[in-house]
Amino acid sequence: MSENIYHDSAIKHITGESVYIDDMLVNEQLLLGKVYFSRHAHAKIKKLNIKKALKVKGVHAILTAKDIPGENQMGPIVHDEQCLAEKEVTFIGQAIALIAAENAEAIFEAEKLIEIEYEVLESVLDIETAIAKNQLIAPPRKIERGSPDEAMKSSPHVFKGELRTNGQEHWYLETQTALAMPGEGKEMMIHASSQNPTETQAIVAEVLGLQKNEVEVEVKRMGGGFGGKETQGNHVAAWAALLANATKRPVKIHLFRDDDQIMTGKRHRYLSKYEIGFNEKGQILAYKVEFNADAGSSTDLSMSILERAMLHADNAYFLPNVRIIGNAWKTNLPSNTAYRGFGGPQGIAVIENAIDKIARFLKKDPTEVRLQNFYNQEPNIYTPYGQKIENNHLFKMYDKLIVSSEYFKRRKEIEIFNKENEFSKRGIALTPVKFGISFTTSFLNQAGALVNIYTDGTVLVNHGGTEMGQGLHTKMLQVASSELGVTPDRVKVSATNTSKVPNTSPTAASSGSDINGMAVKNAIDIIKSRLLDVVIPELDKLNSTTETSKENVVFEKNFIYDKELPGKKIAFDDIVKLAHFKQVSLSSTGYYRTPGIYFDREKGQGIPFFYFSYGMSVSEVEIDTLTGQHKLLRTDIIHDVGDSINPGIDKGQIEGGFVQGMGWVTTEELKWDKKGNLITHSPDTYKIPTVNDIPKIFKVEILNDVPNPGTIRRSKAVGEPPFMLAFSVWLAIKDAISAVGNHHFEPDFSLPATYEVILLEAEKIKKNKKQVSAGILVSKQ
Ligand code: MTE
Ligand code: MOS
């Protein structure tokens, strides 16, 4: 039974009661921390003098690399990231020194008095230069099936092209923040804004030279993470911990918005090269793609993200002959990192763009070409990495969406509109998404929980997942409430804490509710089986004729009864009290690991995903060819979430993910100057979507009657997949631009399609200068 109970913070957010780190009440000992960072993309540090700065009144500590008691490193997987730069800086925004002071004035004063001399070195600021210099950050990856070279040669038509997908700033409303509080002896307590408290604990322990059991990390909630706090929330925690350790006082670091944008990594920009072979029907016969990721200055999660891009190169389409190559290149920019979709969007963009070109070339409706290539039936249901596609909802969704969105009727209306209007053009597109659920690093697919029942019958749930606005805690509360048969008001979910549930995986890969939900259920199953020994004799007392069997005991709405005697109920509270008197433990841990998944990176083969989530969208846009402005007129979405645990929250995720994706494909543009300074580092130059950008007509439907086998309450993950529904906006814009030249010319298109891009493309087509660089047709006729 799904229920639309409120997000646990809904009312608290509106009243301002929700506590974020910056709202936490600390004592008068609290110091503020700030990071002094590099102003050069690549330079040697010739001199660093903090003596004058240290004398500023109110300054308690200024730390540099040599003051780190433990290891000077904060790389999450590969240890290639210094916590504070020692001799050399490799990007603008890299931390060099840390300041702790009583107030902001003292910090700013001290910052000005730090003396530094650099010897500027040559920097690499784009993918092309990194490729030319062969700056691979790790060995290339490959996934291959069939004979892509031969199949390409024998294909009737072949397109060759390039596609650039730009990066994306996370723009979580709460910037990177941490509060570190020293305890007795070496103890360190961290209030972190981190998707990965366990890794925050590990890195704080490393930089301080402590054991993990001396560091406790707690995450109440984040004001958004979106992948940006999967690894990079650790940095600010490590810096705050260093200052707290040095001053023996609580220290809070809360990055300014502009500093956050300058210092932290973003979605990876990709330069992708492809070749696609197809026949008259639009059937894809061969596909070769090479992804080139801008990793930034260190590895961070680049290789896992690249892997997911490669595993999503197919999106929803069967590719009989395919070669997927992945390269990640080192540049002098902040290390790029996880962002909703985790490489999936970069992988999917290329094939969606290619399919659109095929359709335009064959003068077919792109939806027909898509339908033609969907994974369908044996033998066309194996991904390039060998996983079989089961419970495919693509056709069901397509049939529904084509009707509910009135796609073909509107396509005709658009044609008429475009004939009648010289300067305004409309376009429409349908795009699907198939997204693999599970961490592709298989061991991460595990979770833990701790469930306590108190003697008044109330329940406290703790689990390894973190709350970042996605509603995970609310869903976990619902799982506990339904599994234990108590009403939701009896259940509370407490802050994620490394001392309650240890060794957790990050809350990422959309798997939060899947894995933590199962762990919560496991803990409850254990407690229930203990309670049964207490319950059954009590039920037998009420029932003189037969004996109650375990299978017949029902826990429901704060009562327990034998399903054959529903009239005779015992209150849950009474059983709990009795259990306590009978010396039965009312607390248990729970554990879960996802069964049956693995991936062989060498071979590029395996079953990396427990299942796939599906979605489909249709968007219609109008562009103004005189200004380049676009308006999103209407979007229809159908999305698959299995049996929803909370349809209200799921709908929120679908809408939010779509809108965030829309920002990436349209207005959000990262630009750097020639020295590697991010020019778009504040909300006035970096345009994220606002309420006005949400489509005027926005119809979101959750696909009905598609229970997902083997997951918690037959639900599906929902956090990331809807992001990729936004490709329909991007391709609708392309369709509208193409209408400027009556679809005779192929727009040379990049992502994002900013107003500037739209204007310039429309202008070029108007002037009848055909561009082909984005998709050279290797004509075989
Ligand atoms: N929704 C909100 N409101 N805020 C967020 O930070 N992060 C997204 C998604 N939805 C995010 C969000 C990302 S990147 C992921 S991986 C998932 O939520 C993580 O949570 P889940 O696994 O519980 O879905
Ligand atoms: Mo989400 S990008 O997996 O944190």
Side-chain angles (χ1 to χ4, degrees), residues 152 157-163 272-278 282-284 286-289 313-315 317 319 346-362 364 366 369-370 373 431 727 730-731 734 746-747 749 774-777:
M152 199 69 75
H157 308 288
V158 173
F159 268 126
K160 227 179 186 172
E162 256 183 36
L163 183 76
S272 303
K273 301 175 183 183
Y274 66 91
E275 208 175 326
I276 193 160
F278 54 99
Q283 224 172 359
I284 301 169
Y287 185 53
K288 290 196 258 182
V289 62
D314 58 339
N315 193 19
Y317 312 109
L319 305 171
Q346 290 94 319
I348 291 175
V350 185
I351 192 137
E352 288 302 334
N353 185 48
I355 290 201
D356 237 54
K357 281 179 186 295
I358 294 176
R360 204 164 290 112
F361 172 75
L362 294 175
K364 283 181 186 293
V369 180
R370 291 196 160 84
N373 287 289
T431 56
F727 285 123
W730 183 54
L731 291 177
K734 187 171 181 174
E746 181 62 31
F749 219 60
I776 298 164
L777 177 70

Coordinates of all heavy atoms in Angstrom, one line a residue, residues 152 157-163 272-278 282-284 286-289 313-315 317 319 346-362 364 366 369-370 373 431 727 730-731 734 746-747 749 774-777:
M152 N 30.0 -1.8 -40.0 CA 29.9 -0.4 -40.5 C 30.2 -0.3 -42.0 O 29.5 0.4 -42.7 CB 31.0 0.4 -39.7 CG 30.8 1.9 -39.7 SD 29.4 2.4 -38.7 CE 30.0 2.3 -37.1
H157 N 24.1 3.2 -44.9 CA 24.4 4.6 -44.6 C 25.2 4.7 -43.4 O 25.0 3.9 -42.4 CB 23.1 5.4 -44.4 CG 22.1 5.2 -45.5 ND1 22.2 5.8 -46.7 CD2 20.9 4.5 -45.5 CE1 21.2 5.5 -47.5 NE2 20.4 4.7 -46.8
V158 N 26.1 5.6 -43.4 CA 26.9 5.8 -42.2 C 27.0 7.3 -41.8 O 27.2 8.1 -42.7 CB 28.3 5.2 -42.4 CG1 29.2 5.6 -41.2 CG2 28.2 3.7 -42.5
F159 N 26.8 7.7 -40.6 CA 27.1 9.0 -40.1 C 28.3 9.0 -39.2 O 28.5 8.1 -38.4 CB 26.0 9.5 -39.2 CG 24.9 10.2 -39.9 CD1 23.6 9.8 -39.8 CD2 25.2 11.4 -40.7 CE1 22.6 10.5 -40.4 CE2 24.2 12.1 -41.3 CZ 22.9 11.7 -41.2
K160 N 29.1 10.0 -39.3 CA 30.3 10.2 -38.4 C 30.1 11.5 -37.8 O 29.7 12.5 -38.4 CB 31.5 10.2 -39.3 CG 32.6 9.4 -38.8 CD 33.8 9.5 -39.8 CE 34.8 8.5 -39.3 NZ 35.9 8.4 -40.3
G161 N 30.4 11.6 -36.5 CA 30.2 13.0 -35.9 C 30.8 13.1 -34.5 O 31.5 12.2 -34.0
E162 N 30.7 14.3 -34.0 CA 31.2 14.6 -32.7 C 30.1 15.3 -31.9 O 29.3 16.0 -32.4 CB 32.3 15.7 -32.8 CG 33.7 15.2 -32.7 CD 34.7 16.3 -32.8 OE1 34.4 17.4 -32.3 OE2 35.8 16.0 -33.4
L163 N 30.1 15.1 -30.6 CA 29.1 15.8 -29.8 C 29.8 16.2 -28.5 O 30.4 15.4 -27.8 CB 27.9 14.9 -29.4 CG 26.8 15.7 -28.6 CD1 26.0 16.6 -29.5 CD2 25.9 14.7 -27.9
S272 N 32.6 13.6 -27.3 CA 32.3 12.2 -27.8 C 32.3 12.2 -29.3 O 31.9 13.1 -30.0 CB 30.9 11.8 -27.3 OG 30.9 11.9 -25.9
K273 N 33.0 11.1 -29.8 CA 33.1 10.9 -31.2 C 32.3 9.6 -31.6 O 32.5 8.6 -30.9 CB 34.5 10.8 -31.6 CG 35.3 12.0 -31.2 CD 36.8 11.9 -31.5 CE 37.5 13.2 -31.0 NZ 38.9 13.2 -31.3
Y274 N 31.5 9.7 -32.6 CA 30.8 8.5 -33.0 C 30.7 8.2 -34.4 O 30.9 9.1 -35.3 CB 29.3 8.6 -32.4 CG 28.5 9.7 -33.0 CD1 27.7 9.4 -34.1 CD2 28.6 11.0 -32.5 CE1 27.0 10.4 -34.7 CE2 27.9 12.0 -33.1 CZ 27.1 11.7 -34.2 OH 26.4 12.7 -34.8
E275 N 30.3 7.0 -34.7 CA 30.0 6.6 -36.1 C 28.9 5.6 -36.0 O 28.8 4.7 -35.2 CB 31.3 5.8 -36.6 CG 31.4 5.9 -38.1 CD 32.8 5.3 -38.6 OE1 33.8 5.4 -37.9 OE2 32.7 4.7 -39.7
I276 N 27.9 5.8 -36.9 CA 26.7 5.0 -36.8 C 26.2 4.5 -38.1 O 26.2 5.3 -39.1 CB 25.5 5.7 -36.0 CG1 24.4 4.8 -35.6 CG2 25.0 6.9 -36.8 CD1 23.6 5.3 -34.4
G277 N 26.0 3.2 -38.3 CA 25.6 2.6 -39.6 C 24.2 2.2 -39.5 O 23.8 1.6 -38.5
F278 N 23.4 2.4 -40.5 CA 22.0 2.1 -40.5 C 21.4 1.8 -41.9 O 22.1 2.1 -42.9 CB 21.2 3.2 -39.8 CG 21.4 4.6 -40.5 CD1 20.5 5.1 -41.4 CD2 22.5 5.3 -40.2 CE1 20.7 6.3 -42.0 CE2 22.7 6.6 -40.8 CZ 21.8 7.1 -41.7
G282 N 15.9 2.7 -40.9 CA 16.4 3.4 -39.8 C 16.9 2.5 -38.7 O 17.2 2.9 -37.6
Q283 N 17.1 1.2 -39.0 CA 17.6 0.2 -38.1 C 19.1 0.4 -37.9 O 19.9 0.5 -38.9 CB 17.4 -1.1 -38.6 CG 16.9 -2.1 -37.6 CD 16.5 -3.4 -38.3 OE1 16.6 -3.6 -39.5 NE2 16.0 -4.3 -37.5
I284 N 19.6 0.5 -36.7 CA 21.0 0.7 -36.4 C 21.7 -0.7 -36.6 O 21.3 -1.7 -36.0 CB 21.3 1.2 -35.0 CG1 20.5 2.5 -34.8 CG2 22.8 1.3 -34.7 CD1 20.5 3.0 -33.3
A286 N 25.4 -0.8 -36.8 CA 26.7 -0.7 -36.2 C 26.8 0.7 -35.5 O 26.3 1.7 -36.0 CB 27.8 -0.8 -37.2
Y287 N 27.5 0.6 -34.3 CA 27.7 1.9 -33.6 C 29.1 1.8 -33.0 O 29.4 0.8 -32.3 CB 26.6 2.0 -32.5 CG 26.6 3.3 -31.7 CD1 26.6 4.5 -32.3 CD2 26.6 3.2 -30.3 CE1 26.5 5.7 -31.6 CE2 26.6 4.4 -29.5 CZ 26.5 5.6 -30.2 OH 26.5 6.8 -29.5
K288 N 29.8 2.9 -33.2 CA 31.1 3.0 -32.6 C 31.1 4.4 -31.8 O 30.8 5.4 -32.5 CB 32.3 3.0 -33.6 CG 32.4 1.6 -34.2 CD 33.8 1.5 -34.9 CE 33.6 1.7 -36.4 NZ 34.9 1.6 -37.1
V289 N 31.5 4.4 -30.6 CA 31.5 5.6 -29.9 C 32.7 5.7 -29.0 O 33.2 4.7 -28.4 CB 30.2 5.8 -29.1 CG1 30.0 4.8 -28.0 CG2 30.1 7.2 -28.5
A313 N 25.6 3.8 -23.2 CA 25.8 4.3 -24.6 C 24.6 3.8 -25.5 O 24.3 4.4 -26.5 CB 27.1 3.7 -25.1
D314 N 24.0 2.7 -25.1 CA 22.9 2.1 -25.8 C 21.5 2.8 -25.6 O 20.6 2.7 -26.3 CB 22.8 0.6 -25.5 CG 22.5 0.4 -24.0 OD1 22.9 1.2 -23.2 OD2 22.0 -0.7 -23.6
N315 N 21.4 3.4 -24.4 CA 20.1 3.9 -23.9 C 19.1 2.8 -24.1 O 19.3 1.7 -23.5 CB 19.7 5.2 -24.5 CG 18.5 5.8 -23.7 OD1 18.3 5.4 -22.6 ND2 17.7 6.7 -24.3
Y317 N 18.2 1.1 -26.8 CA 18.3 0.6 -28.2 C 19.2 -0.6 -28.3 O 20.3 -0.6 -27.7 CB 18.7 1.7 -29.2 CG 18.0 2.9 -29.0 CD1 18.5 4.1 -28.4 CD2 16.6 3.0 -29.3 CE1 17.8 5.2 -28.2 CE2 15.9 4.2 -29.1 CZ 16.5 5.3 -28.6 OH 15.7 6.4 -28.4
L319 N 21.9 -2.7 -30.0 CA 23.0 -2.4 -30.9 C 23.7 -3.7 -31.3 O 24.4 -4.2 -30.4 CB 23.9 -1.4 -30.3 CG 23.3 -0.1 -29.8 CD1 24.3 0.7 -28.9 CD2 22.8 0.7 -30.9
Q346 N 25.6 11.7 -20.2 CA 26.6 11.9 -21.3 C 26.6 10.8 -22.3 O 26.8 11.0 -23.5 CB 28.0 12.0 -20.6 CG 28.3 13.2 -19.8 CD 28.0 13.1 -18.3 OE1 27.0 12.5 -17.9 NE2 28.8 13.7 -17.5
G347 N 26.4 9.6 -21.8 CA 26.3 8.4 -22.7 C 25.1 8.4 -23.6 O 25.2 8.2 -24.8
I348 N 24.0 8.7 -23.0 CA 22.7 8.7 -23.7 C 22.6 9.8 -24.8 O 22.1 9.6 -25.8 CB 21.5 8.8 -22.7 CG1 21.5 7.4 -21.9 CG2 20.2 9.0 -23.4 CD1 20.5 7.4 -20.8
A349 N 23.2 11.0 -24.4 CA 23.1 12.2 -25.3 C 23.5 11.8 -26.8 O 22.9 12.2 -27.7 CB 23.9 13.3 -24.8
V350 N 24.6 11.0 -26.8 CA 25.2 10.8 -28.2 C 24.3 10.0 -29.0 O 24.1 10.3 -30.2 CB 26.6 10.1 -28.0 CG1 27.3 10.0 -29.3 CG2 27.5 10.9 -27.0
I351 N 23.7 8.9 -28.5 CA 22.9 8.0 -29.3 C 21.6 8.7 -29.6 O 21.0 8.6 -30.8 CB 22.7 6.6 -28.7 CG1 22.1 5.7 -29.8 CG2 21.9 6.6 -27.5 CD1 22.7 4.4 -29.9
E352 N 21.0 9.5 -28.7 CA 19.8 10.2 -29.0 C 20.0 11.2 -30.1 O 19.1 11.3 -31.0 CB 19.2 10.9 -27.7 CG 18.7 9.9 -26.7 CD 17.5 9.0 -27.2 OE1 16.8 9.4 -28.2 OE2 17.3 7.9 -26.7
N353 N 21.1 11.9 -30.1 CA 21.4 12.8 -31.1 C 21.6 12.1 -32.5 O 21.1 12.6 -33.5 CB 22.7 13.6 -30.7 CG 23.0 14.7 -31.7 OD1 22.2 15.5 -32.1 ND2 24.3 14.7 -32.1
A354 N 22.3 11.0 -32.5 CA 22.5 10.3 -33.7 C 21.2 9.8 -34.3 O 21.0 9.8 -35.5 CB 23.5 9.1 -33.4
I355 N 20.3 9.3 -33.5 CA 19.0 8.7 -34.0 C 18.2 9.9 -34.6 O 17.6 9.7 -35.6 CB 18.2 8.1 -32.8 CG1 19.0 6.8 -32.4 CG2 16.8 7.9 -33.2 CD1 18.1 5.8 -31.7
D356 N 18.3 11.0 -34.0 CA 17.6 12.2 -34.6 C 18.1 12.5 -36.0 O 17.4 12.8 -36.9 CB 17.8 13.4 -33.7 CG 16.5 14.0 -33.3 OD1 15.7 13.2 -32.7 OD2 16.3 15.2 -33.5
K357 N 19.4 12.4 -36.2 CA 20.1 12.6 -37.5 C 19.6 11.6 -38.5 O 19.3 11.9 -39.6 CB 21.6 12.6 -37.4 CG 22.2 13.8 -36.8 CD 23.7 13.6 -36.7 CE 24.4 14.7 -36.0 NZ 24.2 16.0 -36.7
I358 N 19.6 10.4 -38.0 CA 19.1 9.3 -38.9 C 17.7 9.6 -39.4 O 17.4 9.5 -40.6 CB 19.1 7.9 -38.2 CG1 20.6 7.5 -37.8 CG2 18.5 6.8 -39.0 CD1 20.7 6.2 -37.0
A359 N 16.8 10.0 -38.5 CA 15.5 10.3 -38.9 C 15.4 11.4 -39.9 O 14.6 11.3 -40.9 CB 14.6 10.6 -37.6
R360 N 16.1 12.5 -39.6 CA 16.1 13.6 -40.5 C 16.6 13.2 -41.9 O 16.0 13.6 -42.9 CB 16.9 14.8 -39.9 CG 16.5 16.1 -40.4 CD 17.0 17.3 -39.6 NE 16.3 17.3 -38.3 CZ 16.9 17.0 -37.1 NH1 18.2 16.8 -37.1 NH2 16.2 17.1 -36.0
F361 N 17.6 12.4 -41.9 CA 18.2 12.0 -43.2 C 17.2 11.1 -44.0 O 17.0 11.3 -45.2 CB 19.5 11.2 -42.9 CG 20.1 10.6 -44.2 CD1 20.7 11.3 -45.1 CD2 20.0 9.2 -44.3 CE1 21.2 10.7 -46.3 CE2 20.5 8.6 -45.4 CZ 21.1 9.3 -46.4
L362 N 16.5 10.2 -43.3 CA 15.6 9.3 -43.9 C 14.2 9.9 -44.1 O 13.3 9.3 -44.7 CB 15.5 8.0 -43.1 CG 16.7 7.1 -43.0 CD1 16.5 5.9 -42.1 CD2 17.2 6.6 -44.4
K364 N 12.0 10.5 -41.9 CA 11.1 9.7 -41.1 C 10.8 10.5 -39.8 O 11.7 11.3 -39.4 CB 11.7 8.4 -40.7 CG 11.6 7.3 -41.8 CD 12.2 6.0 -41.2 CE 12.4 5.0 -42.3 NZ 11.1 4.5 -42.8
P366 N 11.2 10.9 -36.0 CA 12.2 10.3 -35.1 C 11.6 9.2 -34.2 O 12.3 8.3 -33.8 CB 12.8 11.5 -34.3 CG 12.4 12.7 -35.1 CD 11.2 12.4 -36.0
V369 N 11.8 5.9 -35.8 CA 13.2 5.3 -35.8 C 13.5 4.8 -34.4 O 14.1 3.7 -34.2 CB 14.2 6.4 -36.2 CG1 15.6 5.8 -36.2 CG2 13.9 6.9 -37.6
R370 N 13.1 5.5 -33.4 CA 13.3 5.0 -32.0 C 12.6 3.7 -31.7 O 13.2 2.7 -31.3 CB 12.8 6.1 -31.0 CG 13.7 7.3 -31.0 CD 13.5 8.2 -29.8 NE 14.7 9.1 -29.7 CZ 14.8 10.2 -30.4 NH1 13.9 10.7 -31.2 NH2 16.0 10.9 -30.3
N373 N 14.2 0.7 -33.1 CA 15.4 0.2 -32.5 C 15.3 -0.2 -31.0 O 16.3 -0.7 -30.4 CB 16.5 1.3 -32.6 CG 17.0 1.4 -34.1 OD1 17.7 0.5 -34.6 ND2 16.6 2.5 -34.7
T431 N 11.6 11.3 -26.2 CA 12.8 10.5 -25.9 C 12.6 9.5 -24.8 O 11.8 9.8 -23.8 CB 14.0 11.4 -25.5 OG1 13.7 12.2 -24.5 CG2 14.5 12.2 -26.7
F727 N 16.1 15.1 -22.5 CA 16.6 15.1 -23.8 C 15.5 15.5 -24.8 O 15.7 16.0 -25.9 CB 17.3 13.8 -24.2 CG 18.6 13.6 -23.6 CD1 18.9 12.5 -22.8 CD2 19.6 14.5 -23.8 CE1 20.1 12.4 -22.2 CE2 20.9 14.4 -23.3 CZ 21.1 13.3 -22.4
W730 N 15.8 19.2 -25.5 CA 16.9 19.5 -26.3 C 16.6 19.2 -27.8 O 16.9 19.9 -28.7 CB 18.1 18.7 -25.8 CG 19.4 18.9 -26.4 CD1 20.1 20.1 -26.6 CD2 20.3 17.9 -27.0 NE1 21.3 19.8 -27.2 CE2 21.4 18.5 -27.5 CE3 20.1 16.5 -27.1 CZ2 22.4 17.8 -28.1 CZ3 21.2 15.8 -27.7 CH2 22.3 16.4 -28.2
L731 N 16.1 18.0 -28.0 CA 15.8 17.6 -29.4 C 14.6 18.3 -30.0 O 14.5 18.4 -31.2 CB 15.7 16.0 -29.5 CG 17.0 15.3 -29.2 CD1 16.8 13.8 -29.2 CD2 18.1 15.7 -30.2
K734 N 16.1 21.3 -31.3 CA 16.7 21.0 -32.5 C 15.7 20.9 -33.7 O 16.0 21.4 -34.8 CB 17.5 19.7 -32.4 CG 18.3 19.3 -33.5 CD 19.2 18.1 -33.2 CE 20.1 17.7 -34.3 NZ 21.0 16.7 -34.0
E746 N 20.9 20.2 -41.6 CA 21.2 19.6 -40.3 C 21.8 20.6 -39.4 O 22.9 21.1 -39.6 CB 22.2 18.4 -40.5 CG 22.5 17.6 -39.3 CD 21.3 17.0 -38.7 OE1 20.4 16.6 -39.3 OE2 21.3 16.8 -37.4
P747 N 21.1 20.9 -38.3 CA 21.7 21.9 -37.3 C 23.0 21.3 -36.7 O 23.1 20.1 -36.4 CB 20.7 22.1 -36.2 CG 19.4 21.5 -36.8 CD 19.8 20.5 -37.8
F749 N 24.8 21.1 -33.7 CA 24.2 21.3 -32.4 C 25.1 20.9 -31.2 O 25.8 19.9 -31.2 CB 23.0 20.4 -32.3 CG 21.8 21.1 -31.6 CD1 21.3 22.3 -32.2 CD2 21.3 20.6 -30.5 CE1 20.3 22.9 -31.6 CE2 20.2 21.2 -29.9 CZ 19.7 22.4 -30.4
A774 N 29.0 18.5 -37.5 CA 28.5 17.7 -36.4 C 28.0 16.3 -36.8 O 27.8 15.5 -36.0 CB 27.4 18.4 -35.7
G775 N 28.0 16.1 -38.1 CA 27.5 14.7 -38.5 C 27.7 14.6 -40.0 O 26.9 14.7 -40.8
I776 N 29.0 14.3 -40.3 CA 29.3 14.1 -41.7 C 28.7 12.8 -42.2 O 28.9 11.7 -41.7 CB 30.8 14.0 -41.9 CG1 31.4 15.3 -41.5 CG2 31.2 13.7 -43.4 CD1 32.9 15.3 -41.3
L777 N 27.9 12.9 -43.3 CA 27.3 11.8 -43.8 C 28.3 11.1 -44.8 O 28.8 11.7 -45.7 CB 26.0 12.1 -44.6 CG 25.4 11.0 -45.3 CD1 24.8 10.0 -44.3 CD2 24.3 11.4 -46.3

